[in-house]
Amino acid sequence: MGESVTLMGWVHRRRDHGGLIFVDLRDREGIVQIVFGPEHGRDAYERARRLRSEYVIAVRGQVRRRPAGTENLQLKTGEVEVPVIDAVVLNEARTPVFPLDEERPVSEELRLTYRYLDLRRPSVQGTLRIRHRTYQVVRAFFDQHGFIEVETPVLTRATPEGARDYLVPARIYPGQFFALPQSPQLFKQLLMVAGLDRYFQIVKCFRDEDLRADRQPEFTQIDVEMSFVDREDVLTLMEELIAVLFREVNEIELDRPFPRLPYQEAVATYGLDNPDTRFEMFLVDISDLCAGTSFRPLAEAIARGGHVKGIKVKGEAGAFSRKAIDDLTEYVKGYGAKGLSPFRMTKEGLQSPVAKHLGADALQGIVHRFDLEDGDVVLVIGDNPMVVAEALGRLRVKLGRELGLIEETLVRPVWITDFPLVQYSEEEKRFVAVHHPFTAPVDEDLPLFDSAPERMRAKAYDLVINGQEVGGGSIRIHQRDVQSRMFATLGLAEAEGKEKFGFLLEALDFGTPPHGGIAFGFDRLVMLLTGAESIREVIAFPKTQRAQCLMTGAPAALDPRQLKELHLKLDVT
Ligand code: ASP
């Protein structure tokens, strides 16, 4: 109050009250009301008549209390205003393409095309500030724990995260290409070989993946690697990082240690390896009850080595109409299930369209196993184990959301451990690494390399929070012979392994310490910390779901001279 100030910013709103003109002046800190009147400054008042939204101005005046009764308690500065003595228009502005006052929804396409206008909106700036805060907390944490931040190359060779590479033609080496890193995986391992001991980096990664909702072709990771550690060392320190982040950024205290759930158990209980553990509705196995009954679809699924499992929807929530059950059936068909059998508990007993085929014993068994009460519904799928798990797992999450079973304010982290080392790819007709080819097998599973690689477990772990995978990593292979056996299992001939990752294999011969690490999806973490609904909300200049930048128009065609310089001929139809 009483201080003389010079304020600069944007005209957010202007109200002409005849003798007085009120302007909400905006900058990144918020809004303040300034008042133009002939008695404060005549020239300034004249200028104010021509002000429009988003003009950039500078004004001088003295802060004063607003007249009694005119305060605006919604505004942080709502008790004061600045009568303007002097004003300068620093720049004019076209009428914004969409209103910046947040009241009306604006199409995302327009927002992304004019992202610099969109970014003027306080809520969008608020998200970027939380993102900024997150960087600072992460850097301080790693610095305090003796980690060294090292930058790794962006122009490099293909890295093995299993997605398609973005490629950059090498002008001075016709026909040769750099790849943009899918992650700094090999470099961080080499930093361990180099004796850096503890490394981290907040780093851009690039993956040319098939377009899926909520992916970005370039995204940010918190990338970490540590030497002389085992799995528990990594998990313990990293859950401390996550706890510090939620405390510092969100004022939420997380319980530690985070639960650790082996992959097999996660899939058995939740159907998915990224379980949302904020609510129960566990998958329950009833294969034994349905085996040998005359209900063919379930009995046959079991005979073929499949499973029959169900989830229970309690009371009221499960009052599905016939149409609702049809819709849920369509939904699980999208995940490969052939059908969905509903059972409803009533005063007269368990009812179902398939009841008579199952027989009284099976029905009674189901009532017991699910501990059913009047009104509860059980939804059952029988199929091969992967289909049952995925279809029921997805259905569980869908119902959890739609029936309001999830306490939205909860933050529930869980480590998923003991992933399979490899899985068979029908498409490629060979084993592929579930994490990546440098992930170490669990020691006691080493003998299975020769007999049953698909049964080997990896020293790999994912951090899942509220059903979102936010990070993943592993203890690495640090012995040359184990790495060679891994390549052989993946069908990478020694020569091919050498050609692609020879520098790493060679490095393993020069005294590599045991090491392991992890990478967190930084954008995903910020989504959780801000409650943003889409990954595009937490990135300053994101690409669309179709991997385009609407603002710059990238990707774009090259002119023929550039193509020639790069020794490229197009074959585009
Ligand atoms: N490079 C891995 C990834 O990007 C993470 C890790 O293993 O540290 O998923």
Side-chain angles (χ1 to χ4, degrees):
M1 222 69 78
E3 196 177 327
S4 288
V5 292
T6 302
L7 305 175
M8 301 187 210
W10 285 261
V11 172
H12 191 61
R13 238 182 254 132
R14 171 179 164 283
R15 296 179 299 278
D16 197 334
H17 285 199
L20 289 177
I21 296 170
F22 294 91
V23 166
D24 288 341
L25 186 66
R26 188 194 71 235
D27 73 2
R28 67 172 210 197
E29 304 303 326
I31 280 177
V32 69
Q33 174 164 292
I34 57 179
V35 192
F36 296 86
E39 75 275 20
H40 307 311
R42 176 149 290 285
D43 288 353
Y45 176 69
E46 286 307 321
R47 273 185 208 123
R49 306 175 77 133
R50 290 191 306 275
L51 293 181
R52 295 287 173 269
S53 281
E54 300 306 308
Y55 276 31
V56 188
I57 62 175
V59 299
R60 229 157 37 82
Q62 214 174 25
V63 184
R64 74 173 185 200
R65 185 175 292 283
R66 291 195 194 181
T70 65
E71 299 91 347
N72 176 357
L73 296 180
Q74 316 283 11
L75 265 190
K76 259 199 284 178
T77 57
E79 288 172 69
V80 299
E81 61 185 13
V82 179
V84 177
I85 306 168
D86 232 350
V88 184
V89 175
L90 298 173
N91 216 340
E92 301 186 347
R94 273 163 54 191
T95 308
V97 193
F98 48 84
L100 305 183
D101 54 17
E102 311 259 342
E103 277 149 30
R104 273 155 291 176
V106 182
S107 83
E108 191 176 42
E109 193 177 329
L110 210 52
R111 290 178 54 197
L112 293 183
T113 308
Y114 294 92
R115 183 64 164 171
Y116 48 88
L117 291 181
D118 192 35
L119 288 174
R120 284 187 192 169
R121 308 194 322 163
S123 71
V124 192
Q125 285 194 1
T127 307
L128 287 187
R129 285 189 162 212
I130 296 180
R131 189 175 172 114
H132 162 81
R133 183 94 196 93
T134 312
Y135 295 126
Q136 310 314 315
V137 175
V138 168
R139 290 218 158 88
F141 178 89
F142 282 113
D143 187 46
Q144 280 154 19
H145 287 85
F147 285 74
I148 297 176
E149 182 167 7
V150 182
E151 287 182 76
T152 51
V154 171
L155 294 177
T156 180
R157 281 192 77 136
T159 48
E161 303 287 353
R164 210 173 284 111
D165 290 312
Y166 277 101
L167 299 170
V168 179
R171 181 180 51 85
I172 52 177
Y173 296 102
Q176 298 189 14
F177 294 80
F178 292 105
L180 305 185
Q182 294 184 31
S183 84
Q185 185 59 37
L186 296 171
F187 290 103
K188 67 175 173 177
Q189 291 193 236
L190 292 167
L191 289 171
M192 297 303 104
V193 180
L196 268 276
D197 197 272
R198 292 183 157 204
Y199 142 96
F200 88 102
Q201 182 180 195
I202 299 180
V203 61
K204 276 287 179 75
C205 301
F206 307 85
R207 295 184 193 177
D208 187 1
E209 285 180 294
D210 289 332
L211 302 170
R212 264 200 266 163
D214 251 18
R215 294 247 180 177
Q216 287 281 308
E218 58 178 299
F219 58 94
T220 306
Q221 282 190 345
I222 306 172
D223 197 44
V224 184
E225 199 73 11
M226 305 163 74
S227 290
F228 307 107
V229 290
D230 63 24
R231 188 189 80 178
E232 267 316 299
D233 299 315
V234 179
L235 301 194
T236 308
L237 192 62
M238 291 305 110
E239 62 189 33
E240 188 178 334
L241 165 71
I242 298 297
V244 168
L245 272 176
F246 275 88
R247 180 184 311 136
E248 302 266 312
V249 182
N250 262 5
E251 293 172 20
I252 291 179
E253 271 313 312
L254 299 180
D255 289 338
R256 274 183 292 156
F258 298 170
R260 284 131 168 77
L261 190 63
Y263 167 87
Q264 290 295 356
E265 218 176 288
V267 173
T269 316
Y270 297 96
L272 307 175
D273 62 7
N274 56 341
D276 190 332
T277 52
R278 286 174 298 176
F279 69 113
E280 293 200 342
M281 206 191 259
F282 301 137
L283 276 57
V284 175
D285 195 335
I286 51 168
S287 309
D288 57 324
L289 301 174
C290 302
T293 63
S294 66
F295 186 51
R296 295 258 299 279
L298 298 188
E300 279 174 11
I302 297 167
R304 279 195 305 270
H307 284 159
V308 180
K309 289 187 165 193
I311 51 178
K312 169 170 83 173
V313 187
K314 288 230 37 101
E316 278 296 286
F320 299 112
S321 65
R322 173 170 298 216
K323 161 93 173 54
I325 295 285
D326 288 347
D327 290 347
L328 297 179
T329 308
E330 279 314 302
Y331 180 78
V332 296
K333 282 186 180 165
Y335 294 100
K338 288 177 211 65
L340 182 70
S341 309
F343 295 78
R344 185 186 306 277
M345 191 65 194
T346 69
K347 297 227 162 42
E348 288 75 55
L350 190 59
Q351 310 217 318
S352 167
V354 305
K356 60 175 183 297
H357 303 291
L358 279 179
D361 287 351
L363 292 179
Q364 200 47 41
I366 292 174
V367 173
H368 278 298
R369 192 145 312 160
F370 285 93
D371 194 13
L372 294 181
E373 292 170 12
D374 192 23
D376 294 350
V377 166
V378 175
L379 301 168
V380 169
I381 297 179
D383 216 305
N384 80 52
M386 287 318 283
V387 169
V388 173
E390 167 142 44
L392 266 189
R394 301 271 181 185
L395 181 63
R396 171 183 174 275
V397 172
K398 175 182 166 73
L399 292 173
R401 287 206 188 111
E402 290 177 1
L403 304 177
L405 306 177
I406 301 176
E407 178 72 70
E408 294 289 342
T409 55
L410 285 181
V411 180
R412 280 286 161 80
V414 54
W415 288 110
I416 309 299
T417 61
D418 295 305
F419 282 85
L421 184 69
V422 295
Q423 83 193 22
Y424 193 75
S425 157
E426 285 300 337
E427 200 177 307
E428 296 185 42
K429 301 273 174 266
R430 64 173 183 99
F431 286 114
V432 293
V434 169
H435 189 52
H436 52 55
F438 309 106
T439 292
V442 167
D443 299 330
E444 66 206 63
D445 292 353
L446 278 171
L448 296 174
F449 256 137
D450 298 321
S451 51
E454 71 284 357
R455 290 194 5 236
M456 294 177 79
R457 288 163 301 166
K459 289 184 182 166
Y461 32 78
D462 274 0
L463 179 65
V464 173
I465 302 182
N466 295 354
Q468 292 238 27
E469 186 202 318
V470 298
S474 59
I475 299 300
R476 326 297 183 188
I477 297 170
H478 70 284
Q479 287 143 321
R480 169 70 188 253
D481 59 320
V482 180
Q483 190 63 68
S484 297
R485 294 182 79 186
M486 180 67 180
F487 282 154
T489 305
L490 300 177
L492 277 176
E494 183 77 11
E496 198 184 344
K498 268 212 187 103
E499 149 69 17
K500 283 192 177 148
F501 312 117
F503 56 102
L504 181 84
L505 283 177
E506 202 179 0
L508 292 180
D509 284 338
F510 284 100
T512 298
H515 61 287
I518 192 165
F520 295 101
F522 188 81
D523 311 291
R524 288 209 184 273
L525 272 174
V526 177
M527 277 175 79
L528 281 168
L529 293 168
T530 55
E533 305 251 305
S534 114
I535 197 164
R536 298 180 295 285
E537 293 296 317
V538 302
I539 296 175
F541 297 104
K543 299 196 173 42
T544 61
Q545 281 193 38
R546 308 196 56 230
Q548 288 170 309
C549 172
L550 296 180
M551 189 181 69
T552 61
L558 294 185
D559 78 43
R561 215 191 52 232
Q562 282 173 302
L563 285 173
K564 193 158 189 299
E565 230 168 41
L566 295 171
H567 321 282
L568 295 177
K569 276 208 185 78
L570 295 185
D571 177 13
V572 188
T573 41

